[in-house]
Amino acid sequence: MPIAITPPPVIVKDAPAQAVSDAVPAAGDKKRKIICFSDFDGTIFMQDTGHILFDNHGCGSKRREILDEQIKSGERSFRDVSEEMWGSLNVPFDDGFEVMERELEIDPDFRAFHQFCLDNGIPFNVISAGLKPVLRRVLDAFLGEDRSAHIDIVANGADIAADGSAWRPVWLHGGSELGHDKAQSVAEARRAAELACEDGTVPLIVFIGDGVSDLPAARQADVLFARRGLRLEEYCVENGIPYTPFDTFADIQRELARVQAEDDAQTRGRGLPARFNPRANMWRRVSSRTAVPRYIALSPTREEKMFLWPEAFTELTAAAAAASASATSPVLEKTLSLEKTVSLGEGPVAVQV
Protein backbone atom coordinates (compact mmCIF):
# COMPACT_ATOMS: atom_id res chain seq x y z
CA MET A 1 0.00 0.00 0.00
CA PRO A 2 1.34 3.50 -0.78
CA ILE A 3 2.66 5.45 2.19
CA ALA A 4 0.71 8.59 3.07
CA ILE A 5 2.53 11.76 2.07
CA THR A 6 2.11 14.87 4.14
CA PRO A 7 4.47 17.38 2.45
CA PRO A 8 3.11 18.99 -0.74
CA PRO A 9 4.62 17.49 -3.90
CA VAL A 10 7.13 19.47 -5.92
CA ILE A 11 5.16 19.42 -9.16
CA VAL A 12 6.23 21.22 -12.30
CA LYS A 13 3.64 23.87 -13.07
CA ASP A 14 2.30 24.65 -16.49
CA ALA A 15 4.28 27.16 -18.49
CA PRO A 16 2.86 30.73 -18.57
CA ALA A 17 0.66 31.48 -21.54
CA GLN A 18 2.54 32.77 -24.58
CA ALA A 19 1.28 34.91 -27.42
CA VAL A 20 0.45 32.87 -30.50
CA SER A 21 3.09 34.70 -32.52
CA ASP A 22 5.74 33.84 -29.91
CA ALA A 23 5.01 30.14 -30.24
CA VAL A 24 5.66 30.14 -34.01
CA PRO A 25 9.31 29.30 -34.72
CA ALA A 26 11.19 31.97 -36.63
CA ALA A 27 13.04 31.21 -39.85
CA GLY A 28 15.91 28.85 -39.22
CA ASP A 29 14.47 27.61 -35.92
CA LYS A 30 13.70 23.93 -35.45
CA LYS A 31 12.08 21.55 -33.02
CA ARG A 32 14.27 20.44 -30.15
CA LYS A 33 15.10 16.75 -29.98
CA ILE A 34 13.08 15.07 -27.22
CA ILE A 35 14.02 11.57 -26.08
CA CYS A 36 11.70 9.50 -23.88
CA PHE A 37 12.81 6.72 -21.55
CA SER A 38 10.29 4.64 -19.65
CA ASP A 39 10.39 1.89 -17.10
CA PHE A 40 8.40 -1.20 -18.09
CA ASP A 41 7.01 -3.15 -15.12
CA GLY A 42 4.53 -1.06 -13.13
CA THR A 43 4.79 1.80 -15.62
CA ILE A 44 3.77 0.68 -19.11
CA PHE A 45 2.25 -2.47 -17.64
CA MET A 46 0.51 -2.55 -14.31
CA GLN A 47 2.06 -5.85 -13.22
CA ASP A 48 5.66 -7.07 -13.07
CA THR A 49 6.54 -9.53 -15.84
CA GLY A 50 9.16 -11.27 -13.71
CA HIS A 51 6.84 -11.66 -10.74
CA ILE A 52 4.20 -13.32 -12.90
CA LEU A 53 6.77 -15.83 -14.15
CA PHE A 54 8.30 -16.50 -10.73
CA ASP A 55 4.94 -16.98 -9.04
CA ASN A 56 3.61 -19.36 -11.68
CA HIS A 57 6.67 -21.21 -12.98
CA GLY A 58 9.46 -20.59 -10.50
CA CYS A 59 10.17 -20.06 -6.83
CA GLY A 60 6.55 -19.12 -6.02
CA SER A 61 5.12 -16.00 -4.42
CA LYS A 62 6.18 -16.82 -0.85
CA ARG A 63 9.84 -17.35 -1.70
CA ARG A 64 9.78 -14.31 -3.99
CA GLU A 65 8.51 -12.13 -1.15
CA ILE A 66 11.34 -13.38 1.08
CA LEU A 67 13.86 -12.57 -1.65
CA ASP A 68 12.34 -9.11 -2.16
CA GLU A 69 12.81 -8.43 1.56
CA GLN A 70 16.47 -9.43 1.26
CA ILE A 71 16.90 -6.70 -1.36
CA LYS A 72 15.06 -4.15 0.77
CA SER A 73 17.10 -4.95 3.86
CA GLY A 74 20.37 -4.75 1.97
CA GLU A 75 21.26 -8.33 2.93
CA ARG A 76 21.74 -9.28 -0.72
CA SER A 77 22.26 -7.31 -3.91
CA PHE A 78 19.56 -6.85 -6.51
CA ARG A 79 21.61 -8.80 -9.04
CA ASP A 80 22.23 -11.71 -6.67
CA VAL A 81 18.56 -12.06 -5.78
CA SER A 82 17.48 -11.65 -9.40
CA GLU A 83 19.77 -14.45 -10.47
CA GLU A 84 18.11 -16.77 -7.95
CA MET A 85 14.63 -15.75 -9.08
CA TRP A 86 15.32 -16.18 -12.79
CA GLY A 87 17.27 -19.36 -12.08
CA SER A 88 14.23 -20.85 -10.35
CA LEU A 89 12.22 -20.90 -13.59
CA ASN A 90 11.57 -24.21 -15.30
CA VAL A 91 9.33 -23.47 -18.26
CA PRO A 92 9.91 -23.09 -22.01
CA PHE A 93 9.88 -19.49 -23.16
CA ASP A 94 6.67 -19.78 -25.19
CA ASP A 95 4.81 -21.56 -22.37
CA GLY A 96 5.92 -18.92 -19.88
CA PHE A 97 4.55 -16.20 -22.11
CA GLU A 98 1.04 -17.67 -22.00
CA VAL A 99 0.58 -16.73 -18.34
CA MET A 100 1.98 -13.23 -18.93
CA GLU A 101 -0.39 -12.63 -21.81
CA ARG A 102 -3.26 -13.72 -19.56
CA GLU A 103 -2.35 -11.67 -16.47
CA LEU A 104 -0.63 -8.54 -17.80
CA GLU A 105 -2.60 -5.30 -18.16
CA ILE A 106 -1.23 -2.47 -20.29
CA ASP A 107 -1.78 1.19 -19.39
CA PRO A 108 -5.04 2.08 -21.19
CA ASP A 109 -3.52 5.15 -22.88
CA PHE A 110 -0.07 3.85 -23.72
CA ARG A 111 -0.88 2.95 -27.33
CA ALA A 112 -2.15 6.48 -28.02
CA PHE A 113 0.89 7.99 -26.30
CA HIS A 114 3.26 5.89 -28.37
CA GLN A 115 1.49 7.04 -31.53
CA PHE A 116 1.92 10.64 -30.31
CA CYS A 117 5.67 9.99 -30.02
CA LEU A 118 5.79 8.53 -33.52
CA ASP A 119 3.83 11.47 -34.98
CA ASN A 120 6.15 13.99 -33.33
CA GLY A 121 9.46 12.26 -34.03
CA ILE A 122 10.10 11.52 -30.33
CA PRO A 123 12.19 8.36 -29.83
CA PHE A 124 10.62 6.19 -27.14
CA ASN A 125 12.87 3.76 -25.28
CA VAL A 126 12.16 1.15 -22.64
CA ILE A 127 14.78 1.02 -19.90
CA SER A 128 14.35 -1.92 -17.56
CA ALA A 129 16.03 -4.19 -15.03
CA GLY A 130 14.24 -7.11 -16.67
CA LEU A 131 15.18 -9.41 -19.56
CA LYS A 132 15.05 -7.96 -23.07
CA PRO A 133 13.63 -11.08 -24.82
CA VAL A 134 10.72 -11.18 -22.36
CA LEU A 135 9.93 -7.47 -22.75
CA ARG A 136 10.16 -7.61 -26.54
CA ARG A 137 7.79 -10.56 -26.70
CA VAL A 138 5.28 -8.73 -24.50
CA LEU A 139 5.42 -5.56 -26.63
CA ASP A 140 5.07 -7.58 -29.83
CA ALA A 141 1.93 -9.22 -28.44
CA PHE A 142 0.24 -6.13 -27.01
CA LEU A 143 1.25 -3.54 -29.64
CA GLY A 144 1.91 -5.68 -32.71
CA GLU A 145 5.35 -6.33 -34.13
CA ASP A 146 5.29 -3.30 -36.45
CA ARG A 147 4.69 -0.82 -33.62
CA SER A 148 6.91 -2.69 -31.20
CA ALA A 149 9.80 -2.40 -33.65
CA HIS A 150 9.80 1.37 -33.12
CA ILE A 151 10.63 0.94 -29.41
CA ASP A 152 14.24 0.37 -28.44
CA ILE A 153 14.70 -1.75 -25.32
CA VAL A 154 17.65 -1.14 -23.00
CA ALA A 155 17.64 -4.14 -20.68
CA ASN A 156 19.55 -7.28 -19.74
CA GLY A 157 20.00 -10.16 -22.13
CA ALA A 158 19.07 -13.76 -21.36
CA ASP A 159 20.37 -17.25 -21.89
CA ILE A 160 17.32 -19.57 -21.86
CA ALA A 161 17.52 -23.31 -22.44
CA ALA A 162 15.31 -24.60 -25.23
CA ASP A 163 13.41 -26.86 -22.82
CA GLY A 164 13.09 -24.05 -20.25
CA SER A 165 15.14 -25.91 -17.64
CA ALA A 166 17.58 -23.02 -17.17
CA TRP A 167 17.10 -19.25 -17.30
CA ARG A 168 20.19 -17.07 -16.83
CA PRO A 169 20.31 -13.25 -17.02
CA VAL A 170 23.10 -11.79 -19.12
CA TRP A 171 23.71 -8.52 -17.29
CA LEU A 172 24.05 -5.33 -19.29
CA HIS A 173 26.50 -3.92 -16.73
CA GLY A 174 28.24 -6.95 -15.28
CA GLY A 175 30.36 -4.87 -12.91
CA SER A 176 27.33 -3.36 -11.16
CA GLU A 177 25.48 -4.90 -8.23
CA LEU A 178 22.32 -3.80 -10.04
CA GLY A 179 23.07 -5.78 -13.19
CA HIS A 180 21.70 -2.89 -15.23
CA ASP A 181 22.62 0.62 -14.12
CA LYS A 182 19.71 2.63 -15.50
CA ALA A 183 21.41 5.95 -14.76
CA GLN A 184 24.43 4.92 -16.82
CA SER A 185 22.19 3.94 -19.73
CA VAL A 186 20.33 7.27 -19.70
CA ALA A 187 23.57 9.24 -19.33
CA GLU A 188 25.14 7.40 -22.27
CA ALA A 189 22.06 8.08 -24.42
CA ARG A 190 22.16 11.76 -23.45
CA ARG A 191 25.81 12.07 -24.47
CA ALA A 192 25.23 10.23 -27.75
CA ALA A 193 22.26 12.48 -28.60
CA GLU A 194 24.25 15.61 -27.83
CA LEU A 195 27.08 14.48 -30.10
CA ALA A 196 24.56 13.81 -32.86
CA CYS A 197 23.37 17.44 -32.69
CA GLU A 198 25.97 19.15 -34.87
CA ASP A 199 24.78 22.66 -34.00
CA GLY A 200 25.36 22.17 -30.26
CA THR A 201 21.65 21.88 -29.41
CA VAL A 202 21.05 19.90 -26.22
CA PRO A 203 18.23 17.31 -26.36
CA LEU A 204 15.49 17.18 -23.72
CA ILE A 205 15.56 13.93 -21.72
CA VAL A 206 12.26 12.60 -20.35
CA PHE A 207 11.98 9.70 -17.90
CA ILE A 208 8.81 7.87 -16.85
CA GLY A 209 8.79 5.50 -13.89
CA ASP A 210 7.09 4.24 -10.78
CA GLY A 211 9.41 2.61 -8.26
CA VAL A 212 12.64 2.44 -6.28
CA SER A 213 14.68 0.93 -9.10
CA ASP A 214 13.96 4.05 -11.18
CA LEU A 215 15.66 6.44 -8.74
CA PRO A 216 19.08 6.62 -10.44
CA ALA A 217 17.62 7.15 -13.92
CA ALA A 218 15.09 9.68 -12.60
CA ARG A 219 17.93 11.94 -11.46
CA GLN A 220 19.30 11.96 -15.02
CA ALA A 221 16.13 13.38 -16.56
CA ASP A 222 15.22 16.96 -17.46
CA VAL A 223 11.51 16.13 -17.18
CA LEU A 224 10.38 13.39 -14.80
CA PHE A 225 7.01 11.65 -14.68
CA ALA A 226 6.20 9.45 -11.65
CA ARG A 227 3.15 7.21 -11.44
CA ARG A 228 0.86 8.69 -8.80
CA GLY A 229 0.83 7.12 -5.33
CA LEU A 230 3.84 4.84 -5.79
CA ARG A 231 7.34 4.88 -4.37
CA LEU A 232 9.04 7.05 -6.99
CA GLU A 233 6.55 9.85 -6.34
CA GLU A 234 6.98 9.51 -2.59
CA TYR A 235 10.76 9.72 -2.95
CA CYS A 236 10.46 12.85 -5.11
CA VAL A 237 8.24 14.50 -2.49
CA GLU A 238 10.54 13.53 0.39
CA ASN A 239 13.64 14.81 -1.40
CA GLY A 240 12.25 17.88 -3.19
CA ILE A 241 12.83 16.50 -6.69
CA PRO A 242 10.67 18.24 -9.34
CA TYR A 243 8.32 15.82 -11.10
CA THR A 244 4.90 15.52 -12.69
CA PRO A 245 2.53 12.81 -11.38
CA PHE A 246 0.50 10.73 -13.80
CA ASP A 247 -2.35 8.25 -13.63
CA THR A 248 -2.22 7.13 -17.26
CA PHE A 249 -0.07 7.95 -20.27
CA ALA A 250 -2.74 10.41 -21.40
CA ASP A 251 -1.56 12.69 -18.56
CA ILE A 252 2.02 12.38 -19.84
CA GLN A 253 0.97 13.16 -23.40
CA ARG A 254 -0.81 16.37 -22.38
CA GLU A 255 2.09 17.56 -20.23
CA LEU A 256 4.75 16.65 -22.77
CA ALA A 257 2.90 18.65 -25.44
CA ARG A 258 2.95 21.63 -23.06
CA VAL A 259 6.65 21.14 -22.36
CA GLN A 260 7.36 21.05 -26.09
CA ALA A 261 5.36 24.24 -26.70
CA GLU A 262 7.07 25.94 -23.76
CA ASP A 263 10.50 25.09 -25.10
CA ASP A 264 9.62 26.24 -28.61
CA ALA A 265 8.43 29.59 -27.27
CA GLN A 266 11.38 30.20 -24.94
CA THR A 267 14.34 28.75 -26.83
CA ARG A 268 13.22 28.33 -30.47
CA GLY A 269 14.82 24.88 -30.20
CA ARG A 270 18.31 26.30 -29.69
CA GLY A 271 20.83 25.91 -26.86
CA LEU A 272 19.72 24.41 -23.55
CA PRO A 273 16.15 23.20 -23.03
CA ALA A 274 13.80 25.42 -21.04
CA ARG A 275 13.62 22.61 -18.47
CA PHE A 276 17.26 21.60 -18.45
CA ASN A 277 18.51 19.61 -15.46
CA PRO A 278 22.06 20.84 -14.69
CA ARG A 279 22.45 18.18 -11.99
CA ALA A 280 21.84 15.30 -14.43
CA ASN A 281 25.37 13.94 -14.20
CA MET A 282 26.73 15.99 -11.31
CA TRP A 283 25.17 13.85 -8.57
CA ARG A 284 26.92 10.76 -9.89
CA ARG A 285 30.28 12.54 -10.14
CA VAL A 286 29.95 13.83 -6.59
CA SER A 287 28.82 10.45 -5.31
CA SER A 288 31.85 8.67 -6.69
CA ARG A 289 33.37 5.66 -5.00
CA THR A 290 35.13 7.95 -2.51
CA ALA A 291 32.15 9.80 -1.04
CA VAL A 292 28.52 9.17 -0.18
CA PRO A 293 26.65 12.49 -0.12
CA ARG A 294 24.20 13.33 2.65
CA TYR A 295 21.12 13.08 0.44
CA ILE A 296 22.00 9.45 -0.31
CA ALA A 297 23.22 8.54 3.15
CA LEU A 298 20.07 9.88 4.75
CA SER A 299 17.59 8.52 2.20
CA PRO A 300 14.54 6.93 3.86
CA THR A 301 15.11 3.23 3.20
CA ARG A 302 18.04 0.90 2.77
CA GLU A 303 16.52 -0.32 -0.49
CA GLU A 304 16.78 3.19 -1.90
CA LYS A 305 20.38 3.48 -0.70
CA MET A 306 21.15 0.19 -2.40
CA PHE A 307 19.83 1.37 -5.77
CA LEU A 308 21.56 4.74 -5.52
CA TRP A 309 24.81 3.41 -4.07
CA PRO A 310 24.94 -0.39 -4.54
CA GLU A 311 28.65 -0.84 -3.80
CA ALA A 312 28.42 0.79 -0.38
CA PHE A 313 24.93 -0.14 0.79
CA THR A 314 24.64 -3.79 -0.22
CA GLU A 315 25.75 -5.77 2.80
CA LEU A 316 27.42 -9.14 2.81
CA THR A 317 25.16 -12.10 3.49
CA ALA A 318 24.78 -13.21 7.08
CA ALA A 319 26.89 -16.31 6.37
CA ALA A 320 29.71 -14.26 4.88
CA ALA A 321 29.57 -11.80 7.76
CA ALA A 322 29.78 -14.62 10.31
CA ALA A 323 32.65 -16.27 8.45
CA SER A 324 34.57 -13.03 8.45
CA ALA A 325 34.11 -12.33 12.17
CA SER A 326 37.57 -13.66 13.00
CA ALA A 327 39.27 -11.97 10.06
CA THR A 328 37.19 -8.97 9.01
CA SER A 329 37.93 -7.93 5.45
CA PRO A 330 38.68 -4.27 4.62
CA VAL A 331 35.49 -4.03 2.55
CA LEU A 332 33.33 -5.32 5.43
CA GLU A 333 35.02 -2.98 7.91
CA LYS A 334 34.25 -0.02 5.69
CA THR A 335 30.66 -1.15 5.11
CA LEU A 336 30.04 -1.58 8.85
CA SER A 337 31.71 1.75 9.56
CA LEU A 338 29.55 3.40 6.91
CA GLU A 339 26.34 1.96 8.34
CA LYS A 340 27.33 3.09 11.82
CA THR A 341 28.05 6.61 10.62
CA VAL A 342 24.80 6.81 8.68
CA SER A 343 22.81 5.67 11.71
CA LEU A 344 24.28 8.57 13.68
CA GLY A 345 23.10 11.02 11.04
CA GLU A 346 26.57 12.16 10.04
CA GLY A 347 27.66 12.96 6.51
CA PRO A 348 29.06 13.11 3.97
CA VAL A 349 30.75 9.77 4.54
CA ALA A 350 34.10 8.88 3.03
CA VAL A 351 34.45 5.38 1.67
CA GLN A 352 37.64 4.10 0.07
CA VAL A 353 36.56 1.04 -1.92
Side-chain angles (χ1 to χ4, degrees):
M1 295 294 292
I3 301 172
I5 302 171
T6 51
V10 183
I11 300 175
V12 178
K13 297 181 179 179
D14 294 346
Q18 301 284 338
V20 174
S21 59
D22 290 342
V24 178
D29 291 335
K30 61 179 184 179
K31 293 285 186 181
R32 179 180 304 282
K33 186 74 170 179
I34 297 176
I35 304 176
C36 264
F37 292 91
S38 176
D39 177 47
F40 193 85
D41 298 311
T43 302
I44 298 176
F45 287 84
M46 302 300 99
Q47 299 81 18
D48 187 292
T49 51
H51 288 181
I52 291 175
L53 285 172
F54 307 146
D55 293 354
N56 288 275
H57 297 294
C59 58
S61 59
K62 291 184 178 179
R63 176 60 181 166
R64 176 179 59 78
E65 290 169 1
I66 293 173
L67 294 173
D68 283 339
E69 285 302 317
Q70 291 178 349
I71 294 176
K72 293 177 181 178
S73 69
E75 179 183 346
R76 297 172 66 186
S77 71
F78 178 85
R79 187 178 68 184
D80 184 31
V81 168
S82 295
E83 286 177 348
E84 179 176 336
M85 288 181 177
W86 289 109
S88 73
L89 292 176
N90 186 6
V91 60
F93 184 82
D94 289 339
D95 294 346
F97 177 72
E98 291 179 2
V99 67
M100 287 190 292
E101 190 172 25
R102 186 170 62 248
E103 295 189 15
L104 281 174
E105 176 188 0
I106 194 170
D107 182 287
D109 296 308
F110 177 75
R111 294 181 180 87
F113 174 79
H114 183 233
Q115 186 61 50
F116 165 81
C117 290
L118 292 175
D119 294 342
N120 288 274
I122 299 174
F124 183 88
N125 309 271
V126 164
I127 181 167
S128 171
L131 304 187
K132 186 173 181 178
V134 173
L135 307 187
R136 177 61 71 192
R137 179 64 179 273
V138 170
L139 288 177
D140 286 349
F142 280 82
L143 299 182
E145 293 184 12
D146 290 342
R147 286 179 176 268
S148 171
H150 290 283
I151 299 178
D152 286 334
I153 300 176
V154 185
N156 303 298
D159 184 1
I160 304 171
D163 63 357
S165 60
W167 290 57
R168 184 180 66 85
V170 179
W171 300 113
L172 189 62
H173 301 129
S176 169
E177 291 291 342
L178 301 176
H180 176 196
D181 185 337
K182 292 184 179 182
Q184 180 177 335
S185 292
V186 175
E188 289 171 353
R190 177 191 288 273
R191 287 192 294 270
E194 289 175 356
L195 290 174
C197 296
E198 298 178 356
D199 59 357
T201 298
V202 177
L204 182 79
I205 303 298
V206 175
F207 186 80
I208 307 163
D210 71 297
V212 173
S213 67
D214 299 320
L215 297 179
R219 288 185 175 274
Q220 292 286 338
D222 298 310
V223 177
L224 172 62
F225 293 94
R227 189 171 282 282
R228 195 186 306 274
L230 299 182
R231 190 61 194 126
L232 180 58
E233 181 183 38
E234 293 170 1
Y235 184 86
C236 290
V237 171
E238 292 160 359
N239 292 273
I241 299 173
Y243 77 102
T244 299
F246 74 95
D247 293 305
T248 75
F249 273 78
D251 302 326
I252 300 174
Q253 181 174 332
R254 286 190 294 270
E255 179 62 18
L256 192 54
R258 284 195 288 265
V259 169
Q260 192 172 39
E262 170 192 334
D263 190 76
D264 287 345
Q266 294 186 21
T267 72
R268 311 288 189 188
R270 296 171 294 189
L272 296 176
R275 297 194 188 183
F276 178 67
N277 176 12
R279 299 185 300 278
N281 287 303
M282 181 176 67
W283 78 273
R284 287 180 67 80
R285 290 197 298 269
V286 171
S287 57
S288 66
R289 287 176 178 266
T290 60
V292 179
R294 174 177 291 273
Y295 69 81
I296 292 181
L298 301 184
S299 61
T301 71
R302 188 168 298 179
E303 184 184 15
E304 287 164 0
K305 296 173 189 175
M306 185 273 291
F307 275 101
L308 289 167
W309 192 254
E311 291 84 0
F313 286 101
T314 298
E315 297 178 345
L316 300 179
T317 62
S324 62
S326 58
T328 305
S329 68
V331 173
L332 179 58
E333 287 180 348
K334 289 162 187 170
T335 302
L336 295 175
S337 176
L338 174 62
E339 292 289 7
K340 180 179 179 181
T341 304
V342 170
S343 68
L344 294 176
E346 300 174 10
V349 183
V351 183
Q352 300 293 334
V353 179

